[in-house]
Amino acid sequence: MHFSSPKMVCETKIVADEHEAIPGTKKESMMWSSAPASAALNPPEARDVRKDVVYIREFECGDHEEVRRIFYEGIMERIPNTAFRGLRQHPKTQFLYALLTVMCFFVTKSVTLTCCAPLFLMGARYFYSRKVIHSYLDCALHTDMADIEAYYMTPTGSCFWVAMLDGRVVGIVAAQGREDDNSVELRRMSVDSRYRGKGIAKVLGRRVLEFAVRNNYAAVVLGTTAVKLAAHKLYESLGFRRMDQSKDYRLPGMRRTPLERLFFQIRHSRYRLQLREE
């Protein structure tokens, strides 16, 4: 059974700009150990830290609105990324769209309609990306993100944290214990777009790894559909290794209709960081 003592769940004060101080950078070993006691702050002390310093604390009920906002905005950013940038990851779909464009010319004999065909296809991709991702958001906002206390704070071996900067919530991350393989899953990581580039995501990731070590988990796992390369580089910088990748992943809320399959494709990558051998 996994449990956390009061000392283990104290807030962690970290200056986000000091990247060299964050385990998981290329300059340091990927072996993990518990953070020194000096890294922890008691709740009253955490509230007295300077506003220009990032610190991580556990989720509180009053954070719920800001947490949902950050999560919602982070997922909404994936609509154009998936529709347009994500197309580069699917050469077969590119070929199919090119074929449809050529067929449009042979059927209509119209140069104007043929030139409009790619615009129609991209518009359809955006429409279905928006439709699918909205369905996924609706699913998430009515399950774990609707009751963070019940899903992450109450169960043993799970937790939810927020990153604080300038006196406000600027990032979120969750850890969900999995007893079947003695691992913890990193979930729901997102940073407010106005505060990116400060190392906050790496600090949040590090907090999950510390939690896993202190609670004697053997590994940390995560799954991501992120299109941006920066997200994958972040996980790798923390020591994660990609285990596999699904090229035609089904998001929760998808119906998998023929039109959805034609205009929406997304890759899902699974990462794992082994903390110790079983």
Side-chain angles (χ1 to χ4, degrees), residues 12-16 18-25 28 31-40 54-56 161 173-175 184 186 189 199-214 220 222 234-235 237-240 273 275:
T12 302
K13 172 187 175 184
I14 302 169
V15 180
E18 295 177 356
H19 299 290
E20 292 80 4
I22 301 173
T25 58
E28 301 192 36
M31 296 298 293
W32 281 87
S33 59
S34 298
S38 61
V54 175
Y55 72 95
I56 311 300
W161 298 272
V173 73
V184 63
L186 186 155
M189 182 188 284
I200 296 172
K202 181 168 283 189
V203 174
L204 288 166
R206 178 190 177 206
R207 187 65 188 88
V208 174
L209 301 186
E210 291 173 348
F211 175 83
V213 169
R214 291 172 180 176
V220 182
L222 67 89
L234 168 66
Y235 303 136
S237 73
L238 286 168
F240 286 91
L273 173 56
L275 299 173

Side-chain angles (χ1 to χ4, degrees), residues 158-211:
S158 298
C159 196
F160 196 104
W161 298 272
V162 297
M164 302 294 297
L165 180 64
D166 297 333
R168 63 182 301 170
V169 177
V170 298
I172 60 174
V173 73
Q176 189 168 47
R178 307 195 320 185
E179 296 293 337
D180 56 334
D181 61 352
N182 193 29
S183 68
V184 63
E185 183 179 4
L186 186 155
R187 307 191 70 203
R188 304 309 190 200
M189 182 188 284
S190 188
V191 175
D192 190 319
S193 59
R194 295 167 292 180
Y195 293 87
R196 291 175 188 167
K198 300 178 181 292
I200 296 172
K202 181 168 283 189
V203 174
L204 288 166
R206 178 190 177 206
R207 187 65 188 88
V208 174
L209 301 186
E210 291 173 348
F211 175 83

Side-chain angles (χ1 to χ4, degrees), residues 28-260:
E28 301 192 36
S29 167
M30 292 299 124
M31 296 298 293
W32 281 87
S33 59
S34 298
S38 61
L41 295 176
N42 292 320
E45 295 172 341
R47 286 158 176 75
D48 294 332
V49 298
R50 291 181 5 234
K51 287 188 176 183
D52 60 341
V53 173
V54 175
Y55 72 95
I56 311 300
R57 64 166 172 79
E58 291 185 3
F59 170 84
E60 298 173 355
C61 291
D63 302 325
H64 198 256
E65 184 176 342
E66 278 296 285
V67 165
R68 284 169 62 94
R69 178 190 65 80
I70 292 172
F71 174 72
Y72 178 87
E73 292 178 357
I75 296 297
M76 287 295 289
E77 289 178 4
R78 299 193 179 185
I79 294 174
N81 288 335
T82 303
F84 307 129
R85 186 180 299 184
L87 182 57
R88 294 181 296 181
Q89 300 177 345
H90 301 277
K92 291 182 179 179
T93 303
Q94 294 178 42
F95 175 79
L96 178 59
Y97 289 175
L99 182 61
L100 289 173
T101 303
V102 172
M103 289 176 60
C104 177
F105 176 75
F106 282 107
V107 171
T108 66
K109 304 298 183 182
S110 170
V111 175
T112 301
L113 289 176
T114 303
C115 291
C116 291
L119 298 178
F120 169 80
L121 292 170
M122 291 301 99
R125 280 189 67 84
Y126 184 86
F127 173 81
Y128 278 97
S129 292
R130 192 173 188 277
K131 180 176 180 290
V132 170
I133 289 175
H134 266 287
S135 295
Y136 168 73
L137 264 173
D138 185 65
C139 180
L141 292 174
H142 285 85
T143 52
D144 62 308
M145 296 304 289
D147 194 347
I148 293 171
E149 283 281 348
Y151 273 82
Y152 297 109
M153 304 306 294
T154 302
T156 302
S158 298
C159 196
F160 196 104
W161 298 272
V162 297
M164 302 294 297
L165 180 64
D166 297 333
R168 63 182 301 170
V169 177
V170 298
I172 60 174
V173 73
Q176 189 168 47
R178 307 195 320 185
E179 296 293 337
D180 56 334
D181 61 352
N182 193 29
S183 68
V184 63
E185 183 179 4
L186 186 155
R187 307 191 70 203
R188 304 309 190 200
M189 182 188 284
S190 188
V191 175
D192 190 319
S193 59
R194 295 167 292 180
Y195 293 87
R196 291 175 188 167
K198 300 178 181 292
I200 296 172
K202 181 168 283 189
V203 174
L204 288 166
R206 178 190 177 206
R207 187 65 188 88
V208 174
L209 301 186
E210 291 173 348
F211 175 83
V213 169
R214 291 172 180 176
N215 288 276
N216 298 314
Y217 283 105
V220 182
V221 299
L222 67 89
T224 180
T225 57
V227 175
K228 291 183 178 179
L229 185 60
H232 297 272
K233 287 185 175 180
L234 168 66
Y235 303 136
E236 291 169 358
S237 73
L238 286 168
F240 286 91
R241 292 185 178 181
R242 183 182 294 176
M243 305 303 294
D244 59 55
Q245 186 177 70
S246 171
K247 294 184 179 180
D248 193 19
Y249 182 67
R250 180 171 183 172
L251 280 176
M254 284 185 68
R255 298 181 180 179
R256 300 294 288 174
T257 63
L259 286 176
E260 272 191 5

